[in-house]
Amino acid sequence: MDLSALEGKHLLVPVTAQRRHLAVRLAEAGAIVEEVEFIAIEATSQPEELEEATLAWCAGDFDWLAVTSRNALSAMDAIARRRGMDLAAPLPEAKVATVGEATRAVCADLGLEVELVPTKRQNARGIVEEFPEGPGKVLAPLGNLAAPVLARGLERKGWSVSTVEAYRTVEGSGVGKQLREEMEAGRFDAVLLTSGSVAQRLADSGAVIPETTLVVAIGDMTAAAARGAGLPVAAVATAPSYDGIVTGLLAALDPDQVMEFDADDHEPPSTPSEATDVHVEVPDEAIEATDVHVEAPDEAIEATDVHVEEPEPEPQVVAGSPADLSFDEIIAGTQEEEPSK
């Protein structure tokens, strides 16, 4: 992926104590990066329940493990190791489902062979859509903000689902007065949103994002949470990966390049890391030229598409969000989109 366009760009990038990969990558590409801890990851408030569920999984009491976050895997692995057990012990009888290829890689590091990765929507709803019919027992370790999409959907398919809080997402230090003033003064070229929680925290800071600052979301659900919180979204990378949001950022910085790419009928990049799902939104005056569609591979999805679309009215929920959820549930569910690697 050519990141030369990021040279000298001022970017606001969410980080946590455990996860600075995106900020480091952008800084190495020459961007001027401001790291902000909008959220922090803490241990579960239900340690006994999580330990009981983890040991039950290791003992082979479940048919499936459905995971939507690296944080859940890390918490379970720590318990298993402390008790002299192995998360991979129940395999191959038990099966694992994850939200995307990045989480699959974390599973591989732990010896877990993944049976199911959704090919359409890389979130809990995607797992539900492609999950087989029951009966059987499923363990779903989730964050405290996760919506009930996964459990409800799998139960409708005949499964008995045990959910357990594996970690907590809490408020980080966030945006202080000085940074808020710099944002409102237009210092930043772009602000990246890596989850609905981040979007809500940014909105709660009271910062008014100027039109010159592009807001880029990592997925449709994160974008829905951002719009609902009053944040203008310029681009959405529908693949929940760092490559996805970086490609969305590049497209937002130069949307004409995306349209020219399709108009010239060039072949899409052959290297998986050079392509991803991107929805780019452009100003009203450019809408006449937005009928663009390019098929391209993605590192986290076998086949995806790139297209430019007209901005949606706020508070409309974008395609790919669960239509049967309240907005509060959608905000909670966006934590599932946070990239796992």
Side-chain angles (χ1 to χ4, degrees), residues 65-68 73 96-101 103-104 107 114 116-118 127:
L65 175 68
V67 291
T68 59
L73 288 168
V96 179
T98 74
V99 290
E101 293 297 336
T103 315
R104 186 209 288 265
C107 286
V114 176
L116 171 64
V117 177
I127 290 180

Side-chain angles (χ1 to χ4, degrees), residues 64-258:
W64 281 85
L65 175 68
V67 291
T68 59
S69 170
R70 170 183 181 174
N71 299 312
L73 288 168
S74 298
M76 290 182 63
D77 180 58
I79 292 173
R81 290 178 182 275
R82 188 169 62 247
R83 297 294 295 266
M85 304 182 78
D86 188 346
L87 288 185
L91 300 178
E93 291 81 6
K95 300 177 181 179
V96 179
T98 74
V99 290
E101 293 297 336
T103 315
R104 186 209 288 265
V106 176
C107 286
D109 291 341
L110 300 177
L112 292 167
E113 183 177 346
V114 176
E115 177 76 14
L116 171 64
V117 177
T119 58
K120 296 180 181 178
R121 301 179 185 181
Q122 276 59 56
N123 54 32
R125 193 174 182 84
I127 290 180
V128 171
E129 290 175 347
E130 301 186 32
F131 212 82
E133 298 290 332
K137 297 176 65 178
V138 180
L139 174 60
L142 303 169
N144 62 311
L145 298 184
V149 176
L150 189 60
R152 288 180 181 176
L154 296 183
E155 287 170 352
R156 291 190 187 109
K157 285 195 164 186
W159 296 95
S160 174
V161 182
S162 296
T163 61
V164 61
E165 183 191 276
Y167 64 95
R168 291 179 55 79
T169 300
V170 299
E171 292 186 357
S173 55
V175 175
K177 180 184 179 197
Q178 180 177 344
L179 182 56
R180 182 171 65 249
E181 292 175 351
E182 291 176 352
M183 292 176 63
E184 293 178 344
R187 171 191 170 192
F188 293 97
D189 295 289
V191 173
L192 306 188
L193 303 178
T194 52
S195 73
S197 302
V198 167
Q200 189 62 51
R201 284 282 286 146
L202 176 58
D204 290 346
S205 73
V208 178
I209 310 297
E211 295 182 359
T212 54
T213 300
L214 301 169
V215 177
V216 182
I218 200 168
D220 284 340
M221 295 175 71
T222 298
R227 292 190 182 102
L231 300 176
V233 178
V236 183
T238 58
S241 68
Y242 289 147
D243 270 2
I245 198 168
V246 170
T247 304
L249 171 62
L250 293 171
L253 290 171
D254 190 3
D256 290 338
Q257 184 176 0
V258 176

Side-chain angles (χ1 to χ4, degrees), residues 284-300:
D284 292 341
E285 59 267 22
I287 293 302
E288 296 179 33
T290 60
D291 189 10
V292 181
H293 188 85
V294 181
E295 291 295 329
D298 179 77
E299 72 162 346

